[in-house]
Amino acid sequence: MAIHDYDVVRQDIKGIILQPGYDDGSIGPVLVRLAWHASGTYDKTTKTGGSDGGTMRYSIESNDPANAGLDHARAFLEPIKQKHDWISYGDLWTLAGVVAIESMGGPKIPWKPGRKDKPESAVPPNGRLPNAEEGADHIRQVFYRMGFTDREIVALIGAHCLGRCHGDRSGYEGKWTYTPTRFNTQFFVMLTKQNWQEKKLENGLVQYADEKDQLMMLPADMAFLYDTGFKEIVEIYAHDKQTFFDDFAAAFGKLLELGVNREDNVTKL
Ligand code: HEM
């Protein structure tokens, strides 16, 4: 059996991250979102969902409104899948998120291969990913279902330092920070420092804008300011980059591992 060289795949992913014609010149943020949405369907009670299986290949899951726009991320990665046809989609998509974070200046994320593409019957039900219109109760419900603690939830939302909202995907519009292609503490800094005002969009959705109307927050992001338990942790990360990086790396690594059953995958090969 040929040796599977994940370092070569890492290099190939690194090589496609800068894309001058796309958004802010990088597909890093949308790759991070793909890794998160492929993993965040996990339900610890039924042990269903998660990145093992690469089930976003199937239209039921790719058409979940929460996944709108992730077709771009998958399409950018497809030539790499064709070149290294031995890699599973679950491994490729999660590794792409890891490489993207690292190449945008973020921490090194623990990552292990071993996911296996599964049949359509493994697709989890739609609606398991968080709804941006909701507050702290909903956020806790969704992330507790995956098995996360409050501190891990706050660390994970720090990824909103990256990228932007797209009117034609989620319906929301704009970016959270002035550095959308750099992984840093700016989501927490902006959340706590700016004077956020409610802003009603033409499509009826409500988001929040800073005084200059250059940055945005989702209602769900504001929950991290309004909920005192979340806010305490937000304050820690806003002031301590190393603690945020360490906690984020651990939480994101855990997210990518949810539901990955290597023993089962090996015996079924
Ligand atoms: C309460 C939880 C969350 C909610 C409600 C939420 C919601 C959203 C929404 C509505 C968008 C805009 C999508 C678009 O229009 O393109 C977005 C983008 C994004 N989200 Fe989240 N998210 C959550 C948690 C997370 C987590 C845990 C991560 C990663 C660890 C993450 C990473 C990202 C990234 C990187 C983008 C930018 C994508 C791009 O630029 O294309 N989000 N999120």
Side-chain angles (χ1 to χ4, degrees):
M1 197 168 92
I3 293 168
H4 294 159
D5 195 340
Y6 292 95
D7 284 338
V8 177
V9 181
R10 277 182 188 260
Q11 287 310 318
D12 285 349
I13 296 167
K14 222 174 163 181
I16 63 164
I17 288 188
L18 292 183
Q19 294 283 346
Y22 182 85
D23 274 3
D24 301 288
S26 167
I27 60 166
V30 80
L31 293 182
V32 173
R33 191 161 199 246
L34 175 65
W36 139 237
H37 278 210
S39 310
T41 54
Y42 186 64
D43 175 359
K44 67 175 184 185
T45 310
T46 57
K47 295 191 167 50
T48 56
S51 65
D52 202 356
T55 49
M56 212 191 290
R57 288 172 292 136
Y58 299 108
S59 59
I60 309 171
E61 186 170 340
S62 61
N63 289 334
D64 185 332
N67 289 331
L70 294 180
D71 49 318
H72 293 277
R74 294 193 303 276
F76 276 115
L77 291 171
E78 190 55 29
I80 296 179
K81 166 70 181 168
Q82 297 306 322
K83 186 174 164 201
H84 309 281
D85 62 352
W86 48 266
I87 197 169
S88 68
Y89 280 99
D91 277 347
L92 178 64
W93 294 342
T94 51
L95 184 59
V98 164
V99 172
I101 288 166
E102 291 173 9
S103 46
M104 291 186 286
K108 193 172 157 29
I109 313 284
W111 181 86
K112 278 193 298 186
R115 294 161 193 77
K116 187 170 177 271
D117 292 336
K118 291 181 184 165
E120 193 165 7
S121 56
V123 174
N126 282 7
R128 287 191 178 178
L129 291 158
N131 181 342
E133 292 178 67
E134 303 262 359
D137 288 351
H138 167 77
I139 294 169
R140 284 201 172 88
Q141 207 181 342
V142 169
F143 283 87
Y144 287 177
R145 187 206 66 224
M146 294 178 230
F148 287 109
T149 64
D150 281 8
R151 189 166 174 117
E152 289 169 328
I153 299 171
V154 180
L156 286 171
I157 200 70
H160 279 175
C161 60
L162 301 171
R164 51 172 62 244
C165 296
H166 304 77
D168 60 341
R169 300 183 189 176
S170 61
Y172 296 99
E173 196 70 69
K175 55 193 178 174
W176 294 269
T177 70
Y178 291 109
T179 51
T181 62
R182 298 305 294 165
F183 191 91
N184 53 32
T185 59
Q186 283 300 304
F187 170 78
F188 301 115
V189 173
M190 292 299 133
L191 183 65
T192 50
K193 271 205 177 156
Q194 300 289 348
N195 182 13
W196 297 101
Q197 313 281 346
E198 215 178 271
K199 174 177 167 183
K200 196 158 183 184
L201 305 180
E202 274 177 27
N203 59 19
L205 288 173
V206 171
Q207 64 183 50
Y208 292 78
D210 67 319
E211 274 170 355
K212 291 190 202 149
D213 199 10
Q214 289 177 343
L215 301 177
M216 62 89 59
M217 288 286 159
L218 298 163
D221 297 313
M222 295 303 286
F224 290 84
L225 204 56
Y226 298 151
D227 182 275
T228 49
F230 282 155
K231 188 173 179 218
E232 264 177 45
I233 310 163
V234 165
E235 295 282 0
I236 296 172
Y237 294 150
H239 294 103
D240 185 346
K241 175 187 160 185
Q242 197 54 51
T243 301
F244 168 50
F245 272 37
D246 291 347
D247 288 2
F248 181 85
F252 198 70
K254 174 174 165 177
L255 172 70
L256 305 183
E257 279 294 306
L258 296 177
V260 180
N261 189 341
R262 293 188 176 77
E263 275 168 36
D264 231 29
N265 290 348
V266 170
T267 49
K268 283 184 190 156
L269 277 176

